Structures are given as C-alpha cells and as structure tokens.
C-alpha cells in the first residue's frame, strides 16, 4: 500500500519547450519593473508619513527626520539581506509563507499567507486610488469621476497582466525608469543647492506644523518609524515570485532584490537629507515630494515631469500585487489551502484565476471606499509587517539548523529584524486601530480559518477517493446508456450513434405531461419513432408536473434499484451554436437535466455537444 499523497495540480496548458517557457519569464531588469512598483511608489508617501508624525513636535521634531529615515533604511538593509537568503533557500517562491511552513508550522505559515494576501489586495486599492488622487489634484474637474477612473485603471492593469508577467514588465519599464530617474534627479540637484530654488508649490497653503513644541519622546519617534515603514511594503514581492524569473531564477531574483533595496534606500535617505537641508514643512494640499521637486528643480517643466511620473507609478504600483499574489495563491492551492483552480496556468505562464480574483476583490474595495485613499490607508501595511516578522523569525530557526559559516551573525541579524518589524506591526495596529485597522485584525484569523476549512475539505475528498492508495482492479459492469429525447432530428441521431458506441444497452426516454398539447407531441414522437425504427427502445415517462429533470432522475434511480450492478450513463444531446451570442437562444434544458440527475443519482453525466457549422441556416434551441 502506498502512502497518502497530496493532490497534484496540473497546468491547464500543454507542456511547452523550455525555451518557449523561458520567454514568458522575467529577466532581472524586467523583474525590477514588474515587482518593484509598490516599493518604488512608496517613496511618494513614506517620507511624508514620517514628516507628518514628527510635525506634531514642531520644527524641533522635524530635525529627527533623517535619523528616523536612517533607521528605516537600516531595517530595509536587514530585510533585503534576509529575503536574499529566503530566495536561495526557497527557490519555488512563497516568501514568508514558504519559510514559516518549513520552520514554524502550518498555522504560522497560514498567518503569513493571510497577511500577505490582505496586503497585496490593499496595495492594489491604495495604489490605484493614490494615483487617481494625484491626477484629480492636478485636474479638479475629474474629482467627481474618481471611482470610474479607478475602476478603469484597474481594468487596464488587469488586462496587461492577463497577457503575462513579461508583457506587464515590458509595459511598465519606461514609467518605472522615468520615476526613478526623476527622484534621483531631485536628490542629486538638491544636494548642490543651499536653499530652495522655488517654494511656489507650497505658497498659499496652510502649514500643519505644530507650534512651540520643543521635546520629542520615544513614543513619537517609534510612531514616526512605524509610519515611515510603509515605504518598505513590496520588498517581499520578489521573494514571493521567484518562479516567474528566467533560469537561473534564484540568482536573477537575488539581483533584483538587491537592486530594489539599493534604489529604494538611496531615494529614501536622499529625500530625508533634502527635507532637512531645505527646512521643509508639511502643508495642506501639497505633498512633500511635490515640495521637494519644486525646491530642487524649480517650478518648471521638470516639476511637472516628476508629478506626472508619480501619478503614473502610483496608479501602476498595483502591478506588484499582480506579480506576487497569483504565485502565492498557486502555492496555497498546491498545499490544498485554496481551491486547485488557483494553481492552474494558462498560456504565457499566467495564473489567470489568481489575477482575476485579485482584480475582483480590489474592485469591491474600490467601490466600498468610493475611490478615496484615506478610507483605505489605515488598513494598509499591517499585514506586510506581520509577514516580515514571521519570515525573520523563521529564518532565525533556519540558521540554527544550518552548518554554514557565519550562521550566528545571520541569525542575529534576522532576529533583530524580527524585533523591529514586530514592534512596527504592533505600533501601526495600535495607532490606527480605531481608524479601520481593526478590520485587518479581524480579517487575519478569519482568512486563516477559511484556509483550514478548504484544507479539511480536500482531506475529506482525498479520503473518499483513496488518493495515494492502489485501487482495486477495474471490473466490467453491464452498461446502460439513457438518452433523453423530445423530437426527432439530426441531433437525436448523433446522440444514439454515440450511445450505441458507449453502452451494452441503449434506451431513449421522453417525458410526457397530461395536458392536451403535450400528449399530441408525445404521440407524434412515438409514431415518428416507430417509422424511423432505430433499434432503440423509447420509454415514456409520465409526469404530473411540467418537470423534466425529476422524472429522468427517478427513472435512473429505479434502474439502480432493480439492477444494482448496472453502470448507468445519461447522455444529454445539446446544440453548440455557431456564434457565441446565439447561446442566449438556448433553453438550457440540458443544464437543468444534468443538475437533477447529478443531484439525486450516481449516474455518469455525458453532455454531447453537436456543433453547428457557421453556414448552417438551421438552429435548434
């Protein structure tokens, strides 16, 4: 007897040659464009989150912007180093889920997966609404249509990702490059200036800086650190999507992770330096990034290039989720924690069902929020910190079991990172709990319970199917094929041809009703049947109600009762129309009949599709 094994999820598409498959995977540069948009876009709101918290302590508090940002950059370095090791240890992807599953157990891995799923979904909604908010700030007339624009952007990003992750990467390389170049230009040019070249963007806007504050407490610094850590969302995306890279996938993914960390760190620290150099103060209605672009580049065409690039990148940052979440969902499906349909791939190596599910849930969030970013932001970033903490903790255990040199230093680094991200998760959840973060706190355990329910369901199915066990030798039973008919046609002939090829015995059945018109139709069918004489018995099933499925199901049950060793197949003939729109003309009798027989009997259902040629003028509904 073999040991029980897990259900294998097969690809929907036929196996492609390695070279063809590789063309649908990412290079390091394409990976940076496809999987870094979330992290890159966080440059637009990460530094601002720090400044807004410190502004409550006045100008003195803003002096801590650089130290807090350096602490965030230090944590970024820890995370990049950790996820680089995760990529090497877990080349099949999954990030914190894969780490936790091996080292912390199933429950911890499900918490990590749930946190990542929530973060990915919220990232789509936040990114789209933030990008559209930047657009409506430049063009106020569009404000009333922001929800429609949000849904339009979501449809666009979804459509691009359905064509494959490589196509999405190619489409987003230019916007990513323009944004990174614009931010680096702000930093480099600003470092050569001793004072702002322009303050026009902030003129006339009220400052949100608190007055007469001269002290900064540890709690305020901790809150600023936790808020600024929102800039680290998306760092884990590369580790989650390692299988999307070309061979050698792990090495390419590691390069992408390091490049992402380096660029993000340089941009965050550079902007923090400029905030201190220009003594920037947060104002209402103008972003910190816009003020920095104004101060460094001037209020000219370069300023508008930065704003436009920010709008585009924020709107497209949702692509990170479309690159990482479907891969994570496929791993959960492989482990029987999600329906197996999420593990199927279409051509171009696309997890299509994962992409569509992400788009559908994100659309619901957009409608719920009305396209308003502020409604969604309190829910954002908690999940990713939980995932970071679990991943770092799992890597500490990983190094304890390794015999490689330097493992103690690596474990210490991961442990320090786990403490930092754990503190950040607690602080963000506590500070934003009343603003809506409680939804995430509630949603996490509910999602874990849903995973476990799916897993138990698959376990029961596997037990009933004896998966992994050697079955009994096949035996031949008497085969009876039942063909429901209502009139004579070429469809009826094709159905009987198929039936006599399948079974030892074939019976045609027709359902008759007591009203006069139906009796005449039944009598006409019997006369025509006798004239045709196909060699197949026609059984009339009387029904007092105008029901089709129940009489056939009852007849099948009677056959099983009197002939228990008979294998019954119900062959349902149906027309396949020449054009898709013609499907609305069908009466759906086949579907109704199949449902009734499947629900009440163990008969095999066979739905025979008779395809009409496009040139045919005859159509049977």
């Amino acid at each position: 007897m073999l040991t029980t094994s897990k259900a294998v999820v097969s690809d929907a598409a036929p196996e492609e040659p390695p070279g063809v498959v590789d063309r649908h995977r990412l290079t390091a540069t394409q990976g940076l464009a496809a999987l870094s948009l979330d992290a890159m876009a966080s440059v637009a709101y990460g530094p601002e989150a720090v400044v807004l918290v410190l502004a409550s302590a006045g100008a003195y508090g803003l002096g801590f912007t650089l130290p807090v940002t350096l602490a965030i950059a230090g944590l970024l370095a820890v995370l990049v180093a950790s996820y680089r090791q995760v990529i090497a240890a877990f080349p099949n992807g999954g990030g914190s889920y894969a780490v936790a599953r091996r080292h912390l157990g199933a429950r911890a891995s499900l918490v990590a997966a749930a946190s990542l799923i929530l973060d990915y979904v919220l990232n789509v909604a936040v990114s789209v609404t933030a990008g559209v908010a930047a657009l409506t700030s430049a063009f106020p007339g569009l404000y009333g249509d922001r929800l429609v624009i949000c849904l339009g952007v979501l449809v666009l990003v979804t459509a691009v990702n359905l064509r494959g992750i490589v196509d999405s990467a190619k489409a987003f390389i230019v916007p990513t490059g323009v944004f990174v170049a614009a931010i680096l230009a702000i930093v480099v040019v600003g470092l050569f200036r001793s004072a702002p070249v322009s303050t026009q963007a902030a003129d006339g806007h009220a400052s949100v800086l608190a007055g007469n504050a001269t002290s900064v407490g540890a709690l305020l610094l901790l809150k600023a650190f936790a808020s600024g850590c929102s800039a680290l969302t998306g760092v884990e995306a590369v580790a989650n999507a390692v299988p999307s890279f070309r061979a050698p996938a792990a090495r390419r993914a590691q390069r992408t992770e390091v490049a992402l960390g380096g660029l993000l760190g340089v941009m965050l620290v550079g902007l923090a330096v400029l905030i201190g150099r220009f003594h920037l103060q947060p104002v209402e209605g103008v972003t910190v990034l816009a003020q920095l672009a104004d101060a460094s580049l001037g209020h000219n065409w370069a300023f508008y290039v930065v704003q436009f690039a920010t709008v585009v990148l924020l709107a497209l940052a949702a692509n990170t989720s479309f690159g990482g979440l479907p891969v994570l969902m496929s791993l959960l499906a492989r482990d029987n924690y999600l329906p197996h349909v999420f593990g199927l791939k279409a051509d171009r190596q696309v997890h299509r069902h994962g992409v569509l599910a992400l788009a559908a849930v994100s659309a619901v969030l957009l409608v719920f929020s009305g396209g308003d970013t502020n409604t969604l932001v309190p829910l954002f970033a908690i999940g990713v910190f939980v995932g970071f903490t679990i991943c770092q903790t799992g890597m500490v255990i990983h190094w304890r079991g390794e015999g490689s040199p330097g493992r103690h230093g690596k474990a210490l680094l991961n442990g320090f990172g786990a403490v930092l991200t754990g503190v950040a998760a607690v602080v963000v959840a506590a500070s934003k709990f009343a603003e809506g973060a409680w939804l995430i706190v509630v949603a996490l355990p509910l999602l874990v319970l849903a995973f476990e329910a799916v897993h138990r369901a698959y376990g029961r199915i596997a037990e009933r199917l004896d998966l992994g066990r050697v079955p009994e030798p096949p035996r031949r039973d008497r085969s009876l094929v039942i063909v429901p008919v209502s009139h004579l046609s070429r469809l009826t002939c094709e159905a009987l041809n198929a039936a006599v090829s399948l079974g030892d015995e074939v019976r045609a059945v027709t359902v008759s009703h007591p009203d006069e018109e139906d009796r005449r139709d039944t009598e006409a069918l019997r006369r025509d049947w006798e004239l045709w004489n196909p060699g197949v018995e026609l059984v009339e099933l009387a029904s007092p109600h105008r029901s089709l499925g129940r009489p056939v199901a009852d007849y099948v049950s009677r056959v099983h009762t009197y002939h228990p060793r008979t294998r019954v197949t119900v062959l349902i003939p149906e027309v396949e129309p020449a054009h898709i729109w013609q499907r609305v003309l069908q009466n759906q009798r086949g579907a109704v009949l199949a449902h009734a027989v499947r629900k009440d009997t163990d008969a095999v259902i066979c739905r025979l599709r008779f395809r009409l040629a496009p040139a045919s003028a005859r159509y049977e509904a």
Side-chain angles (χ1 to χ4, degrees):
M1 184 175 292
L2 300 177
T3 57
T4 303
S5 63
K6 296 176 183 176
V8 178
V9 180
S10 61
D11 285 348
E15 205 59 41
E16 293 180 292
V20 175
V21 172
D22 226 30
R23 287 205 300 270
H24 299 315
R25 300 187 189 274
L26 299 168
T27 64
T29 302
Q30 290 171 342
L32 194 62
L35 301 172
S36 71
L37 293 175
D38 179 14
M40 295 297 182
S42 65
V43 172
Y45 51 80
E48 184 156 8
V50 174
V51 169
L52 288 174
V53 173
L54 294 177
S56 62
Y60 181 73
L62 289 178
F64 289 86
T65 300
L66 181 57
V68 170
T69 305
L70 288 173
I72 295 171
L75 177 57
L76 172 63
V78 172
L79 291 174
V80 169
S82 175
Y83 277 107
R84 190 174 182 275
Q85 299 301 325
V86 170
I87 291 168
F90 299 90
N92 291 326
S96 57
Y97 168 71
V99 174
R101 181 161 180 79
R102 179 181 296 182
H103 298 298
L104 299 176
R107 181 64 64 85
S109 70
L110 294 181
V111 174
S115 65
L116 286 172
I117 287 175
L118 291 173
D119 183 66
Y120 275 138
V121 172
L122 284 166
N123 171 59
V124 173
V126 170
S127 298
V128 170
T129 55
V132 173
L135 177 66
T136 56
S137 297
F139 302 98
L142 299 175
Y143 184 79
D145 299 319
R146 64 190 184 281
L147 177 58
V148 175
I149 299 174
C150 285
L151 294 174
V153 172
L154 177 62
V155 169
L156 175 63
V157 176
T158 302
V160 172
N161 278 276
L162 286 174
R163 289 188 54 80
I165 193 169
V166 170
D167 282 356
S168 70
K170 291 178 179 177
F172 300 146
I173 282 178
V174 173
T176 305
V178 171
F179 179 80
V180 171
I183 301 300
L184 293 179
I186 291 174
V187 172
V188 172
V189 174
L191 291 176
F192 286 96
R193 299 191 186 279
S194 57
V197 67
S198 171
T199 59
Q200 185 176 339
D203 289 345
H205 293 267
S207 174
V208 299
L209 191 68
N212 302 323
T214 58
S215 63
V216 175
L219 185 60
L220 183 67
L221 291 176
L222 198 59
K223 186 175 180 180
F225 173 79
S227 297
C229 280
S230 61
L232 304 182
T233 58
V235 172
E236 79 290 347
V238 176
N240 289 336
V242 178
S244 298
F245 285 85
R246 293 183 185 176
R251 190 177 305 168
R252 290 182 187 274
Q254 286 178 321
R255 292 175 190 163
T256 303
E257 186 73 53
V258 171
L260 169 59
L263 283 173
L264 184 57
V266 167
M267 290 190 290
L268 289 174
V269 174
L271 294 177
V273 170
L274 293 186
I275 290 171
R277 176 181 287 259
F278 295 146
H279 303 290
L280 185 143
Q281 297 182 8
V283 298
E284 293 180 356
V286 180
T287 65
V288 168
L289 186 60
Q291 291 187 65
L292 288 174
D294 195 28
S296 180
L297 304 176
H299 205 80
N300 49 32
W301 63 268
F303 170 83
Y304 288 103
V305 167
V306 174
Q307 295 306 104
F308 180 74
T310 304
V311 169
V312 173
L313 201 77
L314 278 169
L316 299 181
N319 194 69
T320 298
S321 296
F322 283 99
L325 181 58
V327 175
L328 175 61
M329 293 177 74
S330 72
L331 294 178
L332 286 166
R334 181 199 64 188
D335 294 335
N336 296 333
Y337 289 110
L338 279 180
H340 288 173
V341 68
F342 291 112
L344 301 178
K345 288 182 182 178
D347 52 359
R348 298 174 178 265
Q349 300 297 301
V350 179
H351 294 283
R352 182 169 295 165
H353 296 90
V355 170
L356 292 175
L358 174 58
V361 177
S362 300
V364 171
L365 277 177
L366 290 174
V367 173
F368 166 76
S369 66
D372 180 29
T373 308
N374 294 328
T375 304
L376 298 169
V377 166
L379 312 179
F380 193 43
I382 298 175
V384 74
F385 288 134
V386 173
F388 283 162
T389 305
I390 292 175
C391 183
Q392 299 281 320
T393 305
M395 288 307 292
V396 171
I397 299 175
H398 174 79
W399 294 124
R400 287 176 57 188
E402 286 284 316
S404 58
R407 63 185 184 279
H408 297 297
K410 294 175 180 177
L412 182 63
L413 186 66
N414 291 137
F416 179 63
V419 171
L420 289 180
T421 54
V423 169
V426 172
V427 172
V428 172
S431 62
K432 297 182 178 181
F433 189 83
E435 301 174 40
W438 62 270
L439 286 172
I440 302 301
V441 177
V442 172
L444 270 174
L446 290 179
L447 202 50
V448 171
L449 290 176
F451 292 152
E452 293 178 336
V454 171
H455 191 72
R456 287 193 298 271
Y458 274 125
R460 289 192 293 268
I461 293 171
E463 185 177 353
R464 293 287 301 274
L465 293 178
D466 287 337
L467 288 179
R469 299 176 183 272
V470 177
E472 297 178 357
R475 68 176 188 270
R476 179 177 177 81
D477 292 331
R478 174 174 172 271
S479 176
L480 169 64
V481 182
I482 297 173
V483 183
V485 298
S486 59
H487 51 265
L488 294 188
S489 67
R490 184 178 174 186
L491 179 62
T492 309
C493 180
E494 290 292 336
L496 293 184
N497 287 340
V500 296
S501 302
L502 291 173
D504 300 321
E505 180 184 354
V506 177
R507 298 179 193 173
V509 298
T510 185
V511 179
S512 63
H513 304 290
D515 57 86
E516 186 66 27
E517 182 179 354
D518 281 343
R519 279 205 307 271
R520 287 198 301 269
D521 291 341
T522 303
E523 291 170 359
L525 174 61
R526 182 166 293 282
R527 287 195 305 269
D528 293 343
W529 197 270
E530 292 173 353
L531 289 174
W532 182 32
N533 191 21
V536 173
E537 178 186 0
L538 177 65
V539 179
E540 182 178 334
L541 306 177
S543 174
H545 307 291
R546 300 195 65 83
S547 171
L548 177 65
R550 171 59 63 182
V552 176
D554 289 343
Y555 181 72
V556 173
S557 298
R558 290 198 299 273
V559 171
H560 277 143
T561 300
Y562 294 108
H563 305 283
R565 301 280 296 181
T566 298
R567 176 75 64 179
V568 178
T569 299
V570 179
L571 189 148
I572 305 171
E574 295 177 290
V575 170
E576 181 73 24
H579 305 286
I580 293 178
W581 67 268
Q582 291 176 331
R583 291 181 182 177
V584 300
L585 304 178
Q586 293 177 290
N587 54 28
Q588 305 303 319
R589 289 177 182 170
V592 172
L593 182 57
H595 174 74
V597 175
R598 185 182 295 112
K599 177 183 176 183
D600 299 324
T601 75
D602 294 327
V604 177
I605 305 297
C606 178
R607 300 178 70 173
L608 176 69
R609 301 282 184 171
F610 180 70
R611 183 171 298 174
L612 295 178
S616 175
R618 299 178 61 188
Y619 179 79
E620 295 184 3

